Amino acid sequence: MLQTVWVSSPGSWALQESDCHRQGKKRSWKCRFFRTIIQHPCRRHAPKRSRKARMLRKIQICLCFCFVSGILYEISLLSSCVFSYLPMAQHYLTPEQVLNLGKSIIFLETTARLEPPPLVSCSVESAARIYQDRPIILFMRGLTNETALDLNTSYAAFSLLSSMKNVFLFPLQMETIFQETPLLQWYNQVVPEQEKNWVHVSSDASRLALIWKYGGIYMDTDVISIRPIPQESFLAAQKSRFSSNGIFGFPARHKFIWDCMENFVLKYNGNIWGNQGPFLMTRMLKTLCNLTDFQGTEDHSCQNISFLNPQRFYPIPYPAWSRYYQVWDKSPSFNHSYALHLWNFMNRNRKVVVAGSNTLAEKLYKTYCPTTYEDLIQNAKHRDLPGPEDA
């Protein structure tokens, strides 16, 4: 196989195919640093260096080159290189390495399932398209460190998400996530089998710990991104004076999130749905702000935290959730929205997107997660069509 190398000008980046993967079926790429060295002819009367001095000089140059190359390789591996080339580099990165890049978009799957349904795939794909320069991470409880991320897996959505250049699938290891947070003591004492709402409660806790440690944006897996969110520290109003926890963003080590984790433990009641989620966010926000009703589409702000208008994520409120799965005479523009929450908890997977149904949800899939729509919706329809042998 020929080795492809782009040699750049001094001090610029270049790509080189990795030696260790030339014989495999998958290619991986390493970022390397090339510098043009211009060698001038020696002056005729210049004094000659001793052989030992020349050798020492060569060793020094080699060591400096290796040191600089190593640093630049690490930086490049954890930045644009990861997102710009083949997804195989994803397999060599740990969750902490990716999260330490900052500004991650984080999704959680706290059930044990390994096959994300189309809505989860659409949420992740739409985020990957809207935030192309940011890592999109789906933590899945069903994954383990031994689970092979096989791109040819029989799970269609799993394979689809694994192939996206800035999407990372990692095991959800709660004990590791809760280290150095107030939630660790709670986690060590709680008995998941005795918890009525463990899937939701564990998700509420995990999203707080991850955002506090690393910063970024958390999104539920039924949120379809349609344009970038400009704010860094924000909560999403589900309605006036009430915050959701289905989507929020903060920089790392933000005091508000730390206070939320402390209140999570102090006021813990797993029998009340939402007590550790939207009700937690709302009561903590009320300790900082005098919440008032929204007028029009303006956002509120206090203590450097933006409290975003319900139109940003919830233009269709939860009592009307089924409208996403209806045919509209004229589809709404959602000009004031950054993302759309499709209320899967209310739906409970009863209504799904069907190819050719012309529903609002189908149009959203086609626009914001076209690969998911084609691979998981259209192809499923074709697979379900009766063949000649069935006739």
Side-chain angles (χ1 to χ4, degrees):
M1 179 185 293
L2 292 177
Q3 180 179 1
T4 306
V5 179
W6 290 268
V7 180
S8 59
S9 60
S12 60
W13 294 99
L15 289 174
Q16 179 176 334
E17 190 174 358
S18 174
D19 294 337
C20 58
H21 295 289
R22 288 178 189 168
Q23 303 303 324
K25 293 182 179 179
K26 303 173 183 176
R27 293 181 179 178
S28 69
W29 297 85
K30 293 183 178 180
C31 290
R32 298 191 182 276
F33 190 78
F34 289 88
R35 184 176 294 279
T36 304
I37 301 175
I38 302 176
Q39 205 169 22
H40 296 282
C42 295
R43 294 180 180 176
R44 181 174 299 177
H45 301 292
K48 293 185 177 180
R49 294 180 181 178
S50 68
R51 182 176 181 182
K52 184 176 180 180
R54 290 198 305 271
M55 182 64 68
L56 184 61
R57 179 64 176 168
K58 289 180 180 179
I59 293 174
Q60 289 175 336
I61 292 173
C62 289
L63 289 175
C64 289
F65 179 79
C66 292
F67 178 75
V68 172
S69 297
I71 292 176
L72 293 175
Y73 172 70
E74 288 295 328
I75 294 172
S76 64
L77 183 62
L78 296 178
S79 57
S80 60
C81 240
V82 173
F83 308 138
S84 301
Y85 301 101
L86 298 183
M88 188 159 181
Q90 296 169 348
H91 300 273
Y92 302 120
L93 297 174
T94 66
E96 193 155 79
Q97 285 176 315
V98 178
L99 288 163
N100 280 333
L101 292 173
K103 296 188 176 181
S104 298
I105 312 295
I106 296 173
F107 295 89
L108 294 173
E109 176 58 77
T110 51
T111 70
R113 66 185 176 190
L114 272 178
E115 172 64 346
L119 181 53
V120 175
S121 178
C122 183
S123 297
V124 176
E125 180 188 346
S126 65
R129 290 177 179 274
I130 296 298
Y131 304 94
Q132 296 185 25
D133 60 339
R134 301 173 70 164
I136 314 298
I137 306 174
L138 173 59
F139 285 97
M140 303 179 70
R141 187 170 70 85
L143 280 180
T144 65
N145 286 332
E146 290 73 34
T147 303
L149 299 184
D150 184 3
L151 297 181
N152 296 318
T153 178
S154 58
Y155 296 132
F158 198 79
S159 177
L160 186 155
L161 295 177
S162 297
S163 66
M164 295 180 187
K165 63 183 181 181
N166 60 331
V167 172
F168 298 83
L169 307 178
F170 290 130
L172 178 60
Q173 299 173 326
M174 294 183 194
E175 186 171 358
T176 301
I177 290 171
F178 297 145
Q179 294 291 332
E180 303 175 4
T181 75
L183 297 169
L184 182 61
Q185 182 181 0
W186 160 80
Y187 181 73
N188 288 333
Q189 294 175 349
V190 74
V191 181
E193 294 77 14
Q194 298 176 3
E195 291 291 321
K196 178 181 177 182
N197 298 300
W198 178 246
V199 168
H200 302 288
V201 168
S202 60
S203 178
D204 292 335
S206 298
R207 67 189 71 176
L208 288 173
L210 285 165
I211 295 299
W212 182 79
K213 280 187 171 183
Y214 303 104
I217 296 174
Y218 167 80
M219 293 185 184
D220 277 349
T221 53
D222 56 351
V223 171
I224 297 178
S225 298
I226 62 177
R227 58 178 56 89
I229 303 169
Q231 291 82 358
E232 184 179 19
S233 300
F234 72 89
L235 293 172
Q238 185 173 314
K239 58 183 180 180
S240 286
R241 309 188 190 201
F242 188 80
S243 176
S244 79
N245 75 329
I247 178 167
F248 61 93
F250 286 89
R253 300 303 200 263
H254 197 284
K255 185 179 184 301
F256 179 79
I257 299 298
W258 180 268
D259 292 343
C260 285
M261 291 190 292
E262 288 188 327
N263 191 271
F264 183 106
V265 178
L266 182 65
K267 302 286 187 180
Y268 182 73
N269 187 340
N271 292 322
I272 302 176
W273 187 91
N275 186 64
Q276 319 309 131
F279 292 108
L280 166 67
M281 291 294 200
T282 301
R283 64 178 177 259
M284 294 306 297
L285 186 60
K286 285 180 177 180
T287 65
L288 301 177
C289 312
N290 180 24
L291 301 182
T292 58
D293 291 338
F294 287 95
Q295 303 296 328
T297 58
E298 86 288 354
D299 299 320
H300 291 173
S301 178
C302 77
Q303 302 289 329
N304 294 321
I305 298 174
S306 297
F307 190 39
L308 301 186
N309 193 288
Q311 288 294 316
R312 304 291 177 245
F313 307 104
Y314 305 102
I316 296 179
Y318 75 88
W321 66 268
S322 61
R323 297 195 68 191
Y324 279 114
Y325 299 92
Q326 295 173 1
V327 178
W328 292 53
D329 292 335
K330 182 180 179 181
S331 297
S333 63
F334 299 118
N335 287 335
H336 300 293
S337 301
Y338 301 135
L340 304 173
H341 194 287
L342 268 62
W343 304 108
N344 197 51
F345 178 73
M346 306 294 295
N347 183 8
R348 291 178 174 83
N349 295 313
R350 291 193 300 268
K351 294 183 180 293
V352 296
V353 172
V354 178
S357 61
N358 203 33
T359 61
L360 176 58
E362 184 192 19
K363 292 180 179 179
L364 293 174
Y365 274 52
K366 286 181 176 180
T367 303
Y368 300 108
C369 55
T371 305
T372 294
Y373 179 78
E374 181 179 352
D375 287 8
L376 304 186
I377 306 299
Q378 284 189 320
N379 288 349
K381 179 181 179 180
H382 295 156
R383 287 192 297 268
D384 292 340
L385 291 176
E389 64 279 2
D390 296 324

